[in-house]
Amino acid sequence: FAKANTTKFKANAKFYHLLEEALLNTLSFNYPFDSLTEIKRLTSPDKKFRFIGWDIPRQDGTYTYFGFIQAMHPKTKKYEVYELTDKSASVKNPETYASDNTKWFGMLYYAIIPCDDYYTLLGWDGNDKLSMRKFIDVLSFKKDGTPIFVKDVFKMPKKYPKRVMFDYNAKLTMTLRYN
């Protein structure tokens, strides 16, 4: 098992650096990367950012997530690239975990919903062999353009989560969409 994981992660490291290099090209925001069929690519309706992400399943049934956000810098009006570093394996309570791109709670986003001064993201997390999770996450940007995954928008009795989590049996299917 360990050898298979090591091989996957070594190949991923090479791919990661090649993709990062491509994304740093100033013209890359409009490039579709459509030949990368296993990579999730989402662009916000206002074209202010895009998410590019993927996962690597591990032999133990868990997942590690990788990704980038390309976002327009508020002052320079040029797209900046932010690496997303998955820290979800060490997070005890995902619903109250506030983070930025360097301590991201990894998942694959599949919908972007623009709101007033933030974006609502719908995401999927393979979690483990027994359960999967869907999330309603929130992305906003600091004044310097840095992405942050926190904004107090959810009002629930006796708790104020940073994201909403639905945990369900891995043998089932759950649909979460915005209507």
Side-chain angles (χ1 to χ4, degrees):
F1 288 146
K3 187 174 182 177
N5 278 341
T6 302
T7 302
K8 283 192 265 186
F9 282 93
K10 280 184 179 179
N12 182 67
K14 289 178 184 177
F15 169 74
Y16 186 93
H17 292 297
L18 287 171
L19 181 59
E20 181 179 30
E21 189 176 314
L23 293 173
L24 289 170
N25 181 314
T26 56
L27 301 175
S28 69
F29 187 83
N30 293 314
Y31 189 77
F33 293 102
D34 51 2
S35 63
L36 301 176
T37 57
E38 298 298 315
I39 304 296
K40 192 69 176 166
R41 301 166 312 281
L42 291 174
T43 302
S44 65
D46 58 9
K47 306 274 192 248
K48 289 191 177 177
F49 81 95
R50 84 169 162 175
F51 165 78
I52 298 172
W54 65 99
D55 63 20
I56 294 185
R58 293 176 169 270
Q59 297 293 329
D60 66 358
T62 62
Y63 292 78
T64 301
Y65 298 92
F66 299 87
F68 296 96
I69 287 182
Q70 276 185 301
M72 184 176 289
H73 192 279
K75 291 185 179 151
T76 66
K77 301 299 182 200
K78 293 182 180 178
Y79 289 102
E80 300 282 332
V81 177
Y82 300 92
E83 296 178 46
L84 297 173
T85 306
D86 183 8
K87 298 293 183 183
S88 57
S90 63
V91 175
K92 300 277 188 259
N93 189 349
E95 292 179 295
T96 58
Y97 182 69
S99 66
D100 61 18
N101 60 298
T102 65
K103 318 182 283 276
W104 173 55
F105 187 85
M107 67 183 80
L108 291 180
Y109 298 114
Y110 59 88
I112 299 172
I113 301 119
C115 300
D116 294 333
D117 61 342
Y118 62 94
Y119 299 87
T120 300
L121 306 173
L122 302 182
W124 172 87
D125 171 26
N127 197 31
D128 59 31
K129 289 179 180 178
L130 301 176
S131 72
M132 293 188 181
R133 301 185 286 198
K134 295 264 178 124
F135 286 92
I136 303 172
D137 207 355
V138 177
L139 172 67
S140 59
F141 294 90
K142 294 180 184 178
K143 289 183 183 192
D144 69 356
T146 305
I148 54 172
F149 296 89
V150 60
K151 189 151 183 82
D152 291 324
V153 298
F154 302 111
K155 308 287 187 263
M156 296 180 168
K158 298 185 182 183
K159 66 179 185 175
Y160 295 93
K162 307 302 179 202
R163 64 184 51 79
V164 177
M165 178 177 72
F166 300 93
D167 198 348
Y168 58 99
N169 188 306
K171 294 178 182 176
L172 302 175
T173 301
M174 179 192 163
T175 301
L176 175 64
R177 62 181 165 217
Y178 176 74
N179 185 349

